Amino acid sequence: MKRILTLVFSFTFMLATFENATAQMSPGLFAKKKPLPSTRGKASVKELGKEIHTAMQTGDTERLMIFMPSEAELKEVKKNKLTPEPTKELVETVNVGQLENSFKQDLANVQNQLAADSIMPELATFSTATGHRPKIPNVIPVTITLLDKQQRPVAFTFEALKIDKRFFLFRNLQVKREMQAVNMEPARP
C-alpha cells in the first residue's frame, strides 16, 4: 500500500513538474490567441478632444499623429463594402501625408489664433467635446470647448473619421468663432 501511494505521489509530482516546465518553455502553446485591442484612434470623440487639449498644453503635438488614420486603415475604408459611397469618395481624395501635414498646419494656426487672443492653452481646462450629425457618413463634426483661466469658453471644431467603432483625427481643426449680433439700426447723421 505504501508503495502504491509513493508511486501515485511521485507520478503526480512529475506530471506537475512537466506541465510547469512546458508552460515556461512555450507559454500559450495550447492557449487560444486573442487579437490585440486596437490602440489606434480613440473610443470616443471626447477622448480625441482630450488628446488635442493635452497636446496643446504640453506642446507635444507629434503624439497626435497616432490618432490619425494610417494608410492601411484608409485602404480598409475604401475596400469595405459597408462603407457608404460619399465616405469612400472623400477618403479616396486624401493620403496620409497630406492629412498629417494639413492637421499640423491647422494646429499651428489654432495656437497662433489663441496667442493673438491672449489665451494660453496650458492654463485652459477641458470642458466638453461633442460630436454632431455628419453630413458625410462616418465623418463626424466635433466641437471641443475649453475654459480659459477666467472661465470663458473657447471652442474648436474638427472632423473625426469613424473606422470600425474607433474615432480618428481627420481634418479642419479650427477655432470656432461665435457670430456676434450685428446692430441693424440705420446709422444716424
Side-chain angles (χ1 to χ4, degrees):
M1 183 73 163
K2 271 181 149 179
R3 190 170 197 172
I4 294 175
L5 285 176
T6 305
L7 283 174
V8 169
F9 178 72
S10 297
F11 179 74
T12 306
F13 178 75
M14 285 179 18
L15 184 62
T17 304
F18 177 73
E19 286 177 356
N20 192 17
T22 57
Q24 288 177 358
M25 289 189 310
S26 58
L29 181 64
F30 300 107
K32 290 183 179 179
K33 292 186 179 182
K34 295 180 182 177
L36 294 174
S38 174
T39 55
R40 300 208 20 91
K42 284 293 187 177
S44 70
V45 293
K46 183 176 182 178
E47 290 179 18
L48 269 183
K50 286 181 179 181
E51 288 296 337
I52 291 173
H53 177 242
T54 300
M56 288 174 33
Q57 281 186 318
T58 63
D60 183 12
T61 57
E62 284 300 312
R63 65 176 272 135
L64 291 177
M65 296 306 112
I66 64 170
F67 304 114
M68 297 198 75
S70 67
E71 192 68 43
E73 289 159 336
L74 291 177
K75 283 182 183 178
E76 185 62 34
V77 170
K78 294 174 195 176
K79 289 180 183 178
N80 191 335
K81 293 178 182 176
L82 298 177
T83 302
E85 279 305 312
T87 306
K88 283 183 185 180
E89 291 171 3
L90 175 63
V91 169
E92 286 179 7
T93 64
V94 299
N95 70 43
V96 173
Q98 288 174 334
L99 281 178
E100 289 178 2
N101 290 336
S102 177
F103 197 83
K104 286 178 183 178
Q105 184 62 43
D106 290 349
L107 187 60
N109 290 342
V110 164
Q111 289 173 321
N112 291 338
Q113 287 176 339
L114 293 178
D117 293 340
S118 300
I119 298 171
M120 297 186 301
E122 56 274 2
L123 299 178
T125 56
F126 181 83
S127 179
T128 62
T130 308
H132 305 283
R133 177 174 286 152
K135 292 179 182 175
I136 299 173
N138 299 333
V139 180
I140 300 17
V142 179
T143 302
I144 303 168
T145 305
L146 304 178
L147 298 175
D148 70 1
K149 62 183 179 180
Q150 284 86 25
Q151 299 300 304
R152 293 178 301 195
V154 178
F156 307 99
T157 60
F158 70 95
E159 290 179 335
L161 181 63
K162 186 175 181 182
I163 305 172
D164 292 331
K165 298 181 184 177
R166 303 287 291 175
F167 294 90
F168 294 83
L169 296 173
F170 192 52
R171 62 183 191 165
N172 297 334
L173 178 66
Q174 56 191 343
V175 175
K176 183 178 180 182
R177 299 287 178 189
E178 298 296 323
M179 296 293 290
Q180 296 180 357
V182 178
N183 186 355
M184 299 301 285
E185 295 180 7
R188 294 186 185 161

